[in-house]
């Protein structure tokens, strides 16, 4: 498989509790590290969010507009990848080849965007359940 350069954009604000698990799942990926960039677009965290991101070799950029949507836009402008992926800090990859599987979809020239299936469980509420 030809691996496209992948930019992962993560908007953050005081996410020190969730970020280590996300980075743990990203660090286990079999995707080539030289084909991957992680951009953390931070809205002014007062906790250790930025330090955690830097320790995991992410590019940390300052999102002066604080909210996630402007952070994503800022990250997309800074991204160098052929493919861009937006992740929330609570997104976790359970399989080590998740990024490889996602990127392989784009070997079909007719596919230029994708939205994954999200699964819920019985503990989810009306506000947290979506597929």
């Amino acid at each position: 498989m030809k691996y496209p350069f992948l930019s992962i954009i993560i908007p953050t604000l005081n996410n020190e509790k969730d970020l280590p698990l996300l980075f743990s799942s990203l660090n286990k990926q079999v995707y080539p590290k030289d084909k991957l960039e992680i951009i953390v677009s931070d809205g002014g965290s007062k906790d250790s969010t930025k330090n955690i991101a830097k320790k995991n070799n992410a590019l940390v950029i300052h999102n002066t507009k604080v909210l996630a949507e402007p952070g994503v836009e800022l990250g997309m402008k800074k991204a160098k990848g052929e493919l861009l992926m937006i992740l929330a800090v609570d997104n976790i990859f359970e399989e080590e080849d998740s990024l490889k599987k996602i990127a392989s979809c784009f070997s079909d020239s007719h596919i230029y965007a994708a939205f994954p299936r999200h699964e819920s469980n019985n503990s989810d509420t009306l506000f947290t359940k979506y597929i």
Side-chain angles (χ1 to χ4, degrees):
M1 171 181 166
K2 179 186 175 284
Y3 291 93
F5 192 88
L6 174 61
S7 295
I8 298 175
I9 301 158
I10 307 166
T12 60
L13 180 62
N14 297 321
N15 294 115
E16 69 181 5
K17 291 181 182 174
D18 295 316
L19 212 49
L21 191 54
L22 170 58
F23 274 114
S24 176
S25 76
L26 286 172
N27 291 333
K28 292 177 185 172
Q29 293 298 304
V30 294
Y31 206 85
K33 301 303 182 211
D34 65 331
K35 295 283 189 172
L36 184 64
E37 92 177 321
I38 300 173
I39 300 172
V40 169
S41 186
D42 187 72
S45 293
K46 303 293 183 205
D47 62 6
S48 62
T49 295
K50 292 179 275 190
N51 289 336
I52 293 167
K54 289 175 185 175
K55 285 180 186 175
N56 285 278
N57 299 314
L59 170 64
V60 177
I61 56 177
H62 183 61
N63 168 16
T64 60
K65 295 184 180 176
V66 182
L67 300 174
E69 291 80 6
V72 168
E73 180 182 6
L74 181 63
M76 291 174 83
K77 288 178 180 177
K78 295 279 186 182
K80 299 175 186 169
E82 298 167 64
L83 292 178
L84 306 181
M85 176 184 289
I86 313 305
L87 290 179
V89 294
D90 62 350
N91 294 155
I92 306 300
F93 294 108
E94 293 183 7
E95 299 173 10
E96 293 177 355
D97 62 346
S98 295
L99 294 181
K100 181 179 175 180
K101 287 178 181 178
I102 292 166
S104 71
C105 295
F106 295 95
S107 61
D108 181 336
S109 64
H110 295 96
I111 298 175
Y112 56 91
F115 189 83
R117 177 178 178 194
H118 296 269
E119 295 186 18
S120 327
N121 62 42
N122 291 338
S123 66
D124 285 315
T125 69
L126 175 64
F127 301 105
T128 61
K129 183 180 285 193
Y130 56 96
I131 292 187

